[in-house]
Amino acid sequence: MSKNIYVIFSHSGTIPSKLIKKFTRKKYTHVSIAINDDITTTMYSFARKYIYNPFNSGFVLESVNTGLLAKLSNVPCKIYKINVSEKKYLKLKKILHRFVMKKNILKYNYIGLLSPILHIPLAPKNSYFCSQFVSEVLIDSGILKVDKKPIYISPGDLEKYISSEILYEGNLKTVKISA
């Protein structure tokens, strides 16, 4: 039996996301992963933990109903649906559970944001940026095969690697899909 997972690319329009957009020149500056069909209620990623403080960031469970996303009215997004074997799904779920259990020690890899640009692996222990995290969990679960290390993968790179169905493109705040 197969399962679906979802990779969500988005752009919040916050100052940090605008800076990332300026450097990458890509429409989407953030990426999350969801493993449940009610996609927008539980997305896993690395981002800010509190609405008004972009510097206190780390592993987060995102939802359009809470935190920063709840405050924004328009969040452009593109959602990919990836069909995976139950074995890979369970492996991904186990990997995500490990991140949830370690969430208090995980930090946002600010310096690592320069890795894709400088081609230098800047990866302090227990720290990730969003596309590094999503790439790593997809690679480690056997869902994604790429020729780059996660530290070098930007959201734009990751989108190029995903060859799956685009489930939705539009405003994350108004998405009404239950895939």
Side-chain angles (χ1 to χ4, degrees):
M1 183 164 70
S2 63
K3 297 274 196 175
N4 294 318
I5 64 162
Y6 307 90
V7 179
I8 303 98
F9 293 89
S10 60
H11 178 70
S12 66
T14 61
I15 292 171
S17 71
K18 287 178 181 176
L19 286 170
I20 292 168
K21 189 173 189 172
K22 184 177 176 102
F23 282 102
T24 64
R25 298 186 184 112
K26 299 292 182 187
K27 183 174 183 178
Y28 302 111
T29 56
H30 182 66
V31 63
S32 308
I33 189 167
I35 60 171
N36 297 317
D37 288 342
D38 192 2
I39 299 164
T40 58
T41 60
T42 305
M43 299 176 287
Y44 302 84
S45 194
F46 274 73
R48 67 175 69 194
K49 293 181 179 182
Y50 302 103
I51 295 171
Y52 302 108
N53 185 352
F55 300 107
N56 187 351
S57 302
F59 180 75
V60 294
L61 296 177
E62 298 172 305
S63 167
V64 295
N65 303 314
T66 60
L68 178 65
L69 292 175
K71 295 285 186 196
L72 303 172
S73 61
N74 184 33
V75 180
C77 77
K78 187 186 288 185
I79 301 172
Y80 288 86
K81 178 171 130 179
I82 304 171
N83 189 265
V84 301
S85 69
E86 187 163 359
K87 183 179 178 180
K88 288 179 181 179
Y89 176 85
L90 291 173
K91 189 167 185 180
L92 174 64
K93 194 173 178 178
K94 186 177 180 179
I95 291 167
L96 291 173
H97 180 72
R98 277 187 260 156
F99 275 89
V100 170
M101 297 308 294
K102 294 187 336 180
K103 69 181 180 182
N104 293 331
I105 64 167
L106 297 170
K107 304 289 182 215
Y108 193 88
N109 186 3
Y110 289 103
I111 191 76
L113 290 172
L114 297 172
S115 291
I117 298 165
L118 301 175
H119 305 289
I120 299 169
L122 303 168
K125 186 177 181 177
N126 294 319
S127 64
Y128 297 81
F129 51 88
C130 64
S131 56
Q132 176 189 8
F133 161 71
V134 174
S135 299
E136 184 170 305
V137 299
L138 290 174
I139 291 166
D140 289 353
S141 61
I143 295 167
L144 185 66
K145 297 200 184 317
V146 297
D147 59 351
K148 278 187 176 181
K149 292 183 179 183
I151 190 68
Y152 297 122
I153 298 176
S154 69
D157 292 333
L158 183 56
E159 188 175 0
K160 287 189 284 186
Y161 289 127
I162 294 177
S163 57
S164 296
E165 171 188 353
I166 297 172
L167 183 64
Y168 174 84
E169 189 165 14
N171 184 357
L172 185 63
K173 294 292 293 188
T174 59
V175 63
K176 297 287 185 229
I177 43 180
S178 188

